[in-house]
């Protein structure tokens, strides 16, 4: 009979070790206050909303555009939503942009432009959930708050050797993270834990020899670092299919329209398309009535594929040249960057323009 494996004596993961490491290795980011500066709640909040389900590298240029255009929350509250969506285009999850605008207006109207610090009040603001409220409280106001994002979940799962798969493990991971909170320096600690996960305790090829908590890590002791956190196997996403209609006039402009204000990609610009439905790709002959005009439509070879959070989309592109001066929102190809076009629409247009130039 095999003897149970003895767990080596581990040091407790102390905040002092992590903060010492952070003081030497903190990342410089456009929204992060330097060690000698006081955090700006507006910039903290804006960055946290942008960073949800997006990488630091992708967010940085968008953040800089936003604060250059709207340097204060009062400026953002007074902005036109279409302008916000236009600059946001490409970041995805466009509901965040709409909530951002609503939240800015509420803070200006109800709180004089001053960010509230109370957790319950924050949770009542548009777009705020437990994570964003905790991040603003800790980073902007140095209050005791348990800030747990994906990076923190990974660090905590490995330190404590938590094998329960995500998403079931979220409650357990939050409780474990709560036990690690220090008695002060909540702002620095929250960012230190995020930086540790982003730069050292990475999903692959973790740099365990550089980790300030390496002598506290159960996953390292048992050689299971890269197997944690475990995840329940995701179900395959449903696939929706459609035909997009790209109409090009004699000036080389493309006809766009605005999507409904509510729902998926609400308020964004698009090229017209058939309904996005599960099942086989629709036949062009069956969906011509959904085209913006009666015209001679030609299907472009190939399919545009795009992944949303809850489904995948496959689109065939139909192109038509139209020399009639029809009413509508016509945009030159070299001016599309100024439109609030989501990534999927930019893919569709690029596919159509390439095919049109070849024909």
């Amino acid at each position: 009979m095999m003897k149970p494996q003895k767990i080596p004596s581990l040091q407790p993961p102390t905040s002092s070790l992590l903060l010492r490491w952070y003081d030497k290795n903190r990342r410089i980011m456009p929204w992060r206050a330097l060690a000698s500066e006081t955090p700006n709640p507006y910039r903290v909040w804006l960055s946290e909303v942008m960073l949800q389900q997006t990488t630091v590298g992708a967010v940085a240029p968008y953040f800089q555009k936003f604060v250059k255009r709207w340097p204060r929350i009062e400026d953002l509250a007074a902005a036109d939503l279409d302008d916000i969506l236009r600059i946001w285009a490409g970041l995805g999850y466009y509901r965040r942009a709409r909530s951002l605008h609503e939240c800015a207006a509420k803070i200006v109207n109800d709180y004089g432009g001053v960010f509230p610090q109370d957790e319950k009040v924050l949770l009542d603001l548009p777009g705020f959930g437990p994570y964003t409220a905790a991040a603003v409280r800790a980073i902007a106001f140095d209050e005791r708050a348990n800030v747990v994002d994906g990076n923190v979940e990974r660090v905590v799962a490995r330190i404590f050797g938590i094998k329960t798969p995500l998403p079931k493990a979220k409650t357990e991971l939050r409780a474990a993270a709560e036990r690690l909170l220090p008695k002060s320096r909540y702002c620095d600690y929250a960012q230190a834990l995020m930086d540790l996960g982003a730069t050292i305790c990475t999903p692959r090829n973790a740099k365990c020899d550089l980790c300030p908590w390496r002598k506290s890590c159960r996953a390292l002791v048992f050689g299971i670092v890269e197997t944690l956190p475990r995840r329940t196997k995701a179900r395959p996403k449903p696939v929706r299919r459609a035909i997009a209609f790209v109409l090009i006039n004699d000036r080389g402009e493309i006809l766009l329209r605005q999507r409904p204000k509510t729902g998926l990609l609400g308020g964004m610009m698009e090229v017209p398309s058939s309904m996005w439905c599960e099942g086989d790709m629709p036949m062009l002959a069956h969906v011509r009535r959904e085209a913006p005009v009666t015209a001679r439509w030609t299907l472009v070879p190939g399919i545009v594929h795009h992944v949303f959070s809850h489904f995948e989309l496959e689109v065939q592109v139909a192109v038509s040249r139209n020399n009639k001066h029809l009413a509508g929102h016509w945009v030159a190809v070299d001016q599309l960057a100024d439109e609030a076009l989501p990534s999927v629409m930019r893919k569709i247009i690029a596919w159509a323009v390439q095919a049109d130039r070849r024909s």
Side-chain angles (χ1 to χ4, degrees):
M1 184 176 177
M2 292 182 63
K3 293 182 178 179
Q5 189 175 1
K6 185 177 180 181
I7 300 175
S9 178
L10 295 172
Q11 295 180 3
T14 63
S15 59
S16 58
L17 279 174
L18 180 61
L19 288 166
R20 200 176 305 146
W21 170 85
Y22 178 69
D23 288 339
K24 295 178 181 178
N25 299 282
R26 64 187 292 156
R27 290 183 292 173
I28 304 298
M29 293 184 284
W31 48 82
R32 181 177 285 181
L34 299 175
S36 58
E37 297 176 337
T38 300
N40 180 322
Y42 171 59
R43 295 170 75 93
V44 171
W45 164 67
L46 180 59
S47 68
E48 288 298 334
V49 174
M50 287 186 166
L51 284 164
Q52 292 169 21
Q53 297 175 298
T54 317
T55 65
V56 167
V59 164
Y62 286 92
F63 177 85
Q64 289 168 328
K65 286 179 186 176
F66 258 74
V67 295
K68 182 178 181 180
R69 181 76 177 272
W70 303 295
R72 305 173 307 140
I73 194 168
E74 290 85 356
D75 302 318
L76 186 62
D80 186 274
L81 178 58
D82 288 342
D83 289 339
I84 294 173
L85 290 172
R86 190 173 295 115
I87 292 183
W88 186 277
L91 267 180
Y93 300 96
Y94 298 96
R95 187 178 293 108
R96 293 180 298 165
R98 296 193 292 274
S99 295
L100 199 74
H101 189 226
E102 292 173 16
C103 184
K106 187 171 180 63
I107 289 174
V108 169
N109 294 332
D110 295 357
Y111 302 99
V114 178
F115 258 89
Q117 297 177 229
D118 182 82
E119 182 179 20
K120 290 182 179 179
V121 175
L122 287 171
L123 287 172
D124 281 337
L125 294 174
F128 265 79
Y131 169 78
T132 307
V136 168
R137 290 178 62 235
I139 299 171
F141 300 114
D142 200 31
E143 292 194 357
R144 189 181 190 278
N146 191 20
V147 185
V148 182
D149 67 354
N151 283 319
V152 174
E153 286 180 340
R154 185 167 58 257
V155 172
V156 172
R158 291 171 176 178
I159 290 294
F160 291 100
I162 295 173
K163 298 178 182 178
T164 308
L166 286 165
K168 185 179 179 181
K170 284 187 174 291
T171 300
E172 187 177 356
L173 291 169
R174 283 188 58 81
E178 182 83 25
R179 299 201 298 271
L180 294 174
L181 287 175
K183 295 182 179 179
S184 62
R185 293 189 67 183
Y186 303 116
C187 169
D188 288 340
Y189 176 79
Q191 294 175 114
L193 203 48
M194 292 176 185
D195 280 10
L196 186 67
T199 64
I200 302 296
C201 195
T202 50
R204 298 286 178 267
N205 303 314
K207 305 176 184 68
C208 296
D209 56 327
L210 300 178
C211 180
W213 280 349
R214 61 187 174 276
K215 294 181 180 178
S216 306
C217 185
R218 282 178 171 250
L220 181 59
V221 166
F222 290 116
I224 56 173
V225 169
E226 295 199 1
T227 71
L228 298 180
R230 294 179 177 172
R231 297 181 185 276
T232 302
K233 189 174 181 180
R235 295 180 180 177
K237 293 181 179 181
V239 179
R240 300 179 188 175
R241 296 178 174 90
I243 293 178
F245 298 98
V246 179
L247 188 63
I248 306 173
N249 66 17
D250 55 356
R251 294 186 294 270
E253 298 169 327
I254 292 172
L255 180 65
L256 301 180
R257 69 183 182 189
Q258 189 174 39
R259 290 179 64 85
K261 294 289 185 182
T262 58
L264 182 67
L265 306 179
M268 304 295 289
M269 301 303 293
E270 68 170 0
V271 293
S273 73
S274 64
M275 296 288 289
W276 299 0
C277 300
E278 293 182 34
D280 295 335
M281 184 67 71
M283 301 281 289
L284 179 58
H286 296 163
V287 295
R288 283 182 182 274
R289 63 185 180 279
E290 298 182 61
V293 296
T294 300
R296 190 173 184 176
W297 295 98
T298 303
L299 285 174
V300 176
I303 290 176
V304 175
H305 182 260
H306 190 80
V307 179
F308 289 94
S309 58
H310 295 97
F311 68 94
E312 298 182 24
L313 180 66
E314 292 181 352
V315 180
Q316 272 195 297
V317 181
V319 178
S320 181
R321 277 276 181 178
N322 194 303
N323 295 327
K324 297 177 181 178
H325 294 281
L326 301 172
H329 186 61
W330 294 90
V331 182
V333 172
D334 60 2
Q335 295 178 352
L336 288 171
D338 298 328
E339 296 293 322
L341 282 165
S343 299
V344 63
M345 294 301 157
R346 294 188 186 278
K347 288 182 185 179
I348 290 169
I349 292 171
W351 196 265
V353 169
Q354 288 175 7
D356 184 66
R357 287 171 178 169
R358 289 195 299 265
S359 63

